[in-house]
Amino acid sequence: MTLTDTRVDDAYPTRITGTPEHLPRVHPTVWGTEADGPIDAATLANHETKGYTVVEDLLSVGEVQTYWQELVRLSSDAELAGDERVITEAKTGEVRSIFDVHEISALIAELVRDPRVLDRARQLLGSEVYVHQSRVNYMPGFKGTGFYWHSDFETWHAEDGMPAPRAVSCSIALTDNHPFNGGLMIMPGSHRTFVQCAGETPEANYKSSLKDQRVGVPSENDITRMAAEHGIDQFTGQAGSALWFDSNIMHGSGNNITPYPRSNIFLVFNSVENALQEPFAAGAPRPAFIAGRDATPITR
């Protein structure tokens, strides 16, 4: 695939040489208004400030069971074994994530178009949207490994060519999230700062970063500084709840050494007005199953 260099001026330079800096965000977090969807004005204002919103009981108990059974089916599907969209744990070889899952599973394709999901994505981004990335994450008891502190937008900007942080993620819990089973940690308000990262992007970096990300992560000093400024919240709650969070917010999770698994459906929506360009800090874009390049709006 040949790409034309259509990049705009880069407001978020990263993968630099020298000392990384903390840059102010120059774009909004919430692009829509109360009139544009189901989220009320107070919640939108809180999302603008904190960078995330929790929606309790997005899915019913019955729906949670249905989607959980779908995750079990996908992880044991012999036809998917060896598929590049299936990411395994570096140490155990067990399924860690399955990407492009809305193209693999008709059930999850329906969820993408569900008004409870789609209408919130459109409202937060103030436009029609498309799926930038979809996956299911498995974090089994005792063996599940976490994700180090990072901003998704840093990677999506550097390696996918996403111009601005006009994207939002929706993580839907299919198991109860406890403080002790590897729950997602998030720094409220950190989305207002873009933390540069140092170093060049290796060729085909995604092949290793999806298992254990080493490039495009902030330094320990940067994490310490951000935590001191913003503190750390944790997404906990019962299965069926959903966490909506800004693409630039600093987040991560620890290993799960408890007997209790933690699995979720992870959907990323990007504004059609924020379509991907050439990568800003990589030699070639990542595959479409990780970063969708078709900005056709989702329709019901």
Side-chain angles (χ1 to χ4, degrees):
M1 177 174 59
T2 301
L3 294 176
T4 302
D5 189 351
T6 58
R7 289 174 295 185
V8 297
D9 291 339
D10 188 1
Y12 306 100
T14 190
R15 311 287 170 96
I16 63 169
T17 58
T19 303
E21 297 181 1
H22 291 197
L23 306 178
R25 182 190 185 113
V26 296
H27 292 93
T29 301
V30 174
W31 296 72
T33 68
E34 183 177 37
D36 296 324
I39 307 173
D40 62 58
T43 302
L44 288 176
N46 190 62
H47 189 92
E48 178 74 41
T49 299
K50 298 180 68 174
Y52 75 90
T53 298
V54 175
V55 179
E56 305 286 355
D57 301 319
L58 182 76
L59 300 181
S60 69
V61 174
E63 288 173 318
V64 167
Q65 184 61 33
T66 297
Y67 285 110
W68 171 252
Q69 291 173 349
E70 180 71 348
L71 262 66
V72 172
R73 182 190 72 80
L74 290 169
S75 65
S76 58
D77 188 341
E79 293 185 2
L80 282 176
D83 191 300
E84 64 177 348
R85 294 172 293 183
V86 179
I87 309 301
T88 56
E89 294 282 2
K91 294 183 178 180
T92 67
E94 293 190 28
V95 174
R96 176 178 173 87
S97 302
I98 300 177
F99 280 78
D100 208 27
V101 71
H102 73 294
E103 296 289 352
I104 298 173
S105 166
L107 193 62
I108 295 178
E110 292 178 7
L111 182 61
V112 167
R113 293 171 170 80
D114 190 303
R116 293 171 295 179
V117 174
L118 182 57
D119 288 354
R120 284 182 168 89
R122 287 171 170 166
Q123 184 179 15
L124 289 169
L125 300 181
S127 70
E128 295 296 324
V129 299
Y130 70 97
V131 175
H132 171 71
Q133 183 185 103
S134 72
R135 66 179 189 261
V136 289
N137 292 321
Y138 301 81
M139 184 175 276
F142 299 115
K143 301 176 182 178
T145 57
F147 294 85
Y148 193 70
W149 289 105
H150 65 286
S151 152
D152 288 328
F153 175 65
E154 193 280 339
T155 296
W156 300 342
H157 185 66
E159 299 186 35
D160 301 334
M162 182 178 287
R166 194 175 177 180
V168 66
S169 298
C170 177
S171 177
I172 304 173
L174 296 184
T175 51
D176 291 343
N177 283 254
H178 304 289
F180 45 75
N181 67 336
L184 189 72
M185 297 177 290
I186 202 161
M187 296 186 186
S190 61
H191 63 295
R192 297 192 297 268
T193 301
F194 181 78
V195 180
Q196 292 181 315
C197 294
E200 295 184 357
T201 306
E203 183 178 355
N205 180 51
Y206 71 92
K207 292 184 178 180
S208 60
S209 68
L210 297 180
K211 296 174 182 280
D212 183 17
Q213 187 172 357
R214 299 295 181 91
V215 177
V217 295
S219 69
E220 291 184 359
N221 285 339
D222 286 323
I223 295 169
T224 300
R225 175 180 166 184
M226 294 292 281
E229 181 177 353
H230 301 288
I232 297 174
D233 290 347
Q234 189 172 38
F235 175 42
T236 59
Q238 64 184 21
S241 56
L243 173 69
W244 289 86
F245 61 101
D246 182 79
S247 59
N248 188 50
I249 203 163
M250 197 66 67
H251 63 287
S253 61
N255 295 342
N256 183 11
I257 61 172
T258 75
Y260 309 108
R262 185 179 72 82
S263 297
N264 67 296
I265 300 173
F266 189 83
L267 307 173
V268 181
F269 298 93
N270 190 26
S271 168
V272 297
E273 299 171 11
N274 194 41
L276 303 187
Q277 304 171 6
E278 259 196 301
F280 285 82
R286 297 190 298 174
F289 74 85
I290 301 173
R293 307 196 75 84
D294 181 0
T296 302
I298 300 169
T299 57
R300 292 191 187 135

